[in-house]
Amino acid sequence: MPAVIPVFSAAKTLPLVQTLKQLPKLGKGTNTINIVDPKLCDDVIQRLGPSLKPHVGCSIIDLNPGPALWSSKVHEFLQPQSHVLVEPDPSYHDPFLKPLLEATGSRYHLRSWEIAKSFDLHRYIREGLIPSSQVDRNAGGTATQRNDSILILANATRGERKRRGRGKYESHFRAQTFCSSLQRMDGLNAQGPVRMLMWLPDAEKQTLLPRTVSHRTQLSLVLELYFHIEEIVTASRQAKERRETFIDIESGKRVARRMEAANIQIPQDRQDETQIRAKEALAKSSRKAAAQVRDDPREWEKELQELEEAYANKLFSEYSPGVRRGDGPQTPQFKRLQVLRHMLTFSEKRKVTLDGLLAEEDQIDALQIDLLYKNLTPEEREAATVKRDQIYKTFKDHVASSAALVPKQLAFRGDDRRAFALDPPLLMWDRRIAEPLLASENEFYHTKRASLLDFQPLTPRPYPLTEEQWIYFDYILKTVLHYGNLTIKHLQSLAPGAFEALLPHVPSLVDPLKGGRAKHDELRARCLTPEMAHGLAMAWERWPLRPEIVDTISFDRGMEDVPGPRR
């Protein structure tokens, strides 16, 4: 009979919060975001249920479990052979973890190791925390077969941002460490690739699972090489830089079809507005109709609408009562209304300009695809090349004569449109199997929102790299992605002649169907696909004039490791 392990119930939610409030302020543990609502845990496990079944009877390594509500819920579902709680903060031990450890037949084990020293699987094996049957069965683990006998649970909401250059969040360090161990097949992945479910502050997820190309970084691209990442729980916070609404709705429609095929359902109270709109649009609108969807209004547009309604309803006038036109100052409300009207006029003019420029880019891409894939006569090929180059010259002239903000907005919109148009889409977010569950602040303590990311290793690896090739891969990415808005022509900074030498060996760089562009000035580094990055590393390895590998390693050690592109 499986051991009966205590699980926090809904009735204990309030005492759980009260106990957390009384914790002594030891270390940084009291700043952690912990789940305090059992219903959220139940909804997550129901959402993950089918994919968790291969882990039944596994060993769980649980980093920063805190009050262990989430831990005990997963434990109850999986009935693991061993559940190692790695909790360095002693303030959690007696009130929360001790009852789990002392329960009859308990399979919990507590270790107070520092989290930085808890990523070595052999340490768990040496201390007998992983059953010998699992150790023996997976002793010959390889990168081609996933090790489902181990599951990692992690809470990366603890700690403060580390300062190194622009700094990194703990969740980014945790993901990077996990990815590095997978690449080398050591650490927690020493007996085969393992899965990790990681909680992190919602604001930190955009680098690990970008929803727009502008948030893609070196770390994002490396993670795409080794994992499929799903967002299981979201706070649904909109990023400062959002892509066009019609793309989100079209993406949501695709996910709705996948969910229907897989019989996955999201509770009504866990759906955000975009999910609801996508479901409504699924049956009645085509992609062309979706492209006509207006972007969600910005804050100033909402303010303008409110002021227009108030002015129409005579809640304020142009001048104060008793003041004749031209005899005194306008009312503050009317002045603000005029400013916002001017902003709207300017915004609409800029949209017309952007739409025209995006249409020209589409024409260039279409001609480039014809040149690459159509069986053209020499005359037809020359005509298509001349036409493509003429449109590109006109396009550059239009960009040069446009308003100051247009080039940046053009880059954002164009990159997101092309990334979504790829098959499969560039962003892992657009390849998600199902929509995430929407969580509210009162389901966490402190009352901040967190997200749950599911890191599932890709097996076999689509783009394997030797240790030496990885050094080249990392060197190239650090160089071209140091600033995310640089174009691929920045390859010339790798070494004299590098751009001209590498380009012919990576044909996807000029193929729009694979994410490339006809003109290298228009392919930004943040749009590099894993195929392109892997191809560049292979081409670099074969280039006889490349710098010695020791110089590459020296560059790597001297380069600041930043979590995102500087703008």
Side-chain angles (χ1 to χ4, degrees):
M1 291 290 291
V4 178
I5 304 298
V7 177
F8 295 104
S9 65
K12 294 185 179 180
T13 301
L14 186 58
L16 175 62
V17 173
Q18 294 302 322
T19 306
L20 284 168
K21 288 181 177 179
Q22 295 170 11
L23 286 180
K25 294 184 178 180
L26 299 176
K28 297 176 182 177
T30 50
N31 292 325
T32 307
I33 304 174
N34 290 303
I35 305 174
V36 295
D37 190 339
K39 184 180 182 300
L40 175 59
C41 297
D42 293 338
D43 287 346
V44 172
I45 290 175
Q46 183 178 7
R47 158 73 174 80
L48 288 172
S51 73
L52 285 178
K53 287 181 179 178
H55 302 287
V56 171
C58 69
S59 290
I60 297 175
I61 296 175
D62 200 341
L63 309 178
N64 288 342
L69 172 59
W70 163 246
S71 306
S72 62
K73 287 285 190 177
V74 176
H75 186 111
E76 181 185 54
F77 184 83
L78 293 180
Q79 292 295 312
Q81 294 188 44
S82 175
H83 190 149
V84 186
L85 304 168
V86 183
E87 182 48 73
D89 192 332
S91 58
Y92 288 107
H93 292 183
D94 284 347
F96 302 113
L97 305 184
K98 189 176 179 181
L100 300 177
L101 296 165
E102 295 179 349
T104 303
S106 174
R107 293 173 184 171
Y108 285 99
H109 308 275
L110 177 62
R111 292 295 183 271
S112 299
W113 303 333
E114 293 180 17
I115 297 300
K117 299 178 181 178
S118 62
F119 279 78
D120 182 5
L121 182 63
H122 295 295
R123 186 176 188 181
Y124 297 87
I125 294 173
R126 285 194 303 268
E127 298 202 14
L129 299 172
I130 306 294
S132 57
S133 59
Q134 292 182 347
V135 174
D136 296 339
R137 187 167 65 248
N138 297 289
T142 66
T144 60
Q145 186 172 359
R146 203 169 92 169
N147 178 8
D148 287 330
S149 69
I150 294 175
L151 176 65
I152 312 300
L153 304 181
N155 186 336
T157 66
R158 190 171 304 183
E160 299 175 0
R161 188 168 185 160
K162 302 177 185 294
R163 290 291 177 185
R164 184 184 176 192
R166 280 167 56 88
K168 275 192 175 178
Y169 293 113
E170 180 176 339
S171 60
H172 296 176
F173 275 113
R174 196 79 59 85
Q176 192 170 37
T177 301
F178 191 57
C179 185
S180 296
S181 75
L182 179 58
Q183 189 269 327
R184 297 190 301 265
M185 289 298 294
D186 62 11
L188 294 176
N189 294 281
Q191 293 198 333
V194 298
R195 180 183 186 181
M196 178 171 70
L197 295 169
M198 183 173 76
W199 291 96
L200 71 162
D202 184 70
E204 299 177 18
K205 70 186 178 186
Q206 64 185 27
T207 294
L208 307 181
L209 186 63
R211 294 191 181 191
T212 172
V213 175
S214 63
H215 290 150
R216 248 175 128 244
T217 68
Q218 179 190 351
L219 179 56
S220 311
L221 199 154
V222 171
L223 290 174
E224 291 169 12
L225 204 66
Y226 289 98
F227 297 98
H228 175 74
I229 303 176
E230 286 272 331
E231 186 174 7
I232 308 301
V233 176
T234 184
S236 194
R237 178 182 298 169
Q238 290 285 4
K240 180 181 177 182
E241 292 160 352
R242 294 181 293 167
R243 60 184 182 179
E244 294 170 279
T245 302
F246 87 86
I247 301 179
D248 286 331
I249 291 179
E250 189 64 32
S251 179
K253 287 166 59 179
R254 295 182 183 181
V255 177
R257 294 188 188 99
R258 294 183 200 124
M259 291 173 61
E260 184 177 358
N263 196 27
I264 298 175
Q265 296 183 353
I266 303 296
Q268 192 71 26
D269 61 337
R270 297 288 183 194
Q271 299 179 23
D272 65 19
E273 184 181 347
T274 302
Q275 292 179 38
I276 296 170
R277 291 173 66 183
K279 287 172 63 177
E280 292 173 349
L282 181 59
K284 62 183 182 181
S285 66
S286 64
R287 182 188 177 97
K288 183 176 181 181
Q292 306 302 318
V293 174
R294 183 176 174 82
D295 287 343
D296 291 332
R298 290 157 287 187
E299 290 304 316
W300 66 265
E301 289 178 307
K302 295 177 183 177
E303 182 187 357
L304 173 59
Q305 183 177 356
E306 292 171 359
L307 285 175
E308 290 285 13
E309 291 175 357
Y311 184 64
N313 293 325
K314 302 187 183 305
L315 298 181
F316 68 87
S317 58
E318 183 175 354
Y319 294 95
S320 300
V323 177
R324 299 172 63 182
R325 179 182 296 272
D327 288 347
Q330 294 174 322
T331 60
Q333 297 96 323
F334 190 81
K335 285 182 178 180
R336 179 61 177 166
L337 177 61
Q338 290 291 77
V339 169
L340 295 178
R341 284 173 172 173
H342 288 308
M343 288 176 63
L344 180 62
T345 300
F346 178 76
S347 176
E348 290 176 343
K349 288 181 178 178
R350 186 169 56 196
K351 183 181 183 304
V352 171
T353 301
L354 286 170
D355 288 343
L357 293 171
L358 289 166
E360 289 177 339
E361 286 191 316
D362 288 344
Q363 292 179 54
I364 296 168
D365 286 344
L367 287 167
Q368 178 70 0
I369 292 169
D370 287 347
L371 288 167
L372 291 174
Y373 290 98
K374 277 191 175 181
N375 187 20
L376 302 176
T377 65
E379 294 78 12
E380 291 172 333
R381 181 168 298 278
E382 182 179 0
T385 302
V386 170
K387 184 177 180 181
R388 180 199 64 189
D389 294 343
Q390 286 176 341
I391 296 174
Y392 182 66
K393 182 180 182 305
T394 302
F395 166 78
K396 294 297 286 185
D397 290 341
H398 288 163
V399 172
S401 61
S402 62
L405 291 177
V406 166
K408 183 177 180 179
Q409 292 191 339
L410 175 66
F412 285 151
R413 293 197 178 200
D415 288 350
D416 278 327
R417 288 189 183 190
R418 280 182 290 275
F420 184 68
L422 293 179
D423 185 18
L426 176 62
L427 298 179
M428 274 194 290
W429 167 249
D430 290 319
R431 289 179 259 138
R432 62 196 183 280
I433 297 170
E435 297 289 5
L437 303 170
L438 180 62
S440 62
E441 289 184 358
N442 59 12
E443 294 177 296
F444 301 96
Y445 181 84
H446 302 291
T447 52
K448 299 177 182 177
R449 292 181 176 180
S451 294
L452 176 63
L453 297 186
D454 183 1
F455 292 76
Q456 299 201 40
L458 297 175
T459 52
R461 295 177 185 171
Y463 301 104
L465 293 165
T466 65
E467 185 174 352
E468 185 171 321
Q469 289 166 349
W470 173 261
I471 293 172
Y472 299 145
F473 179 86
D474 191 53
Y475 170 55
I476 291 170
L477 291 191
K478 272 190 170 70
T479 302
V480 300
L481 276 167
H482 191 55
Y483 295 89
N485 58 358
L486 290 174
T487 68
I488 204 64
K489 286 194 74 173
H490 195 60
L491 285 169
Q492 60 195 7
S493 65
L494 290 170
F499 174 72
E500 293 79 7
L502 301 180
L503 189 66
H505 300 286
V506 190
S508 57
L509 291 172
V510 294
D511 187 347
L513 293 181
K514 295 183 178 180
R517 306 297 304 279
K519 301 296 182 179
H520 308 114
D521 285 341
E522 305 305 322
L523 179 59
R524 279 162 286 281
R526 65 191 180 209
C527 298
L528 280 176
T529 65
E531 177 187 354
M532 292 174 185
H534 181 265
L536 287 169
M538 299 299 99
W540 180 266
E541 182 185 41
R542 295 190 296 267
W543 186 36
L545 299 181
R546 71 176 188 272
E548 295 293 331
I549 192 169
V550 66
D551 297 328
T552 305
I553 296 173
S554 298
F555 168 89
D556 180 60
R557 288 176 177 170
M559 189 80 165
E560 274 193 83
D561 189 14
V562 297
R566 299 177 182 178
R567 304 188 194 288

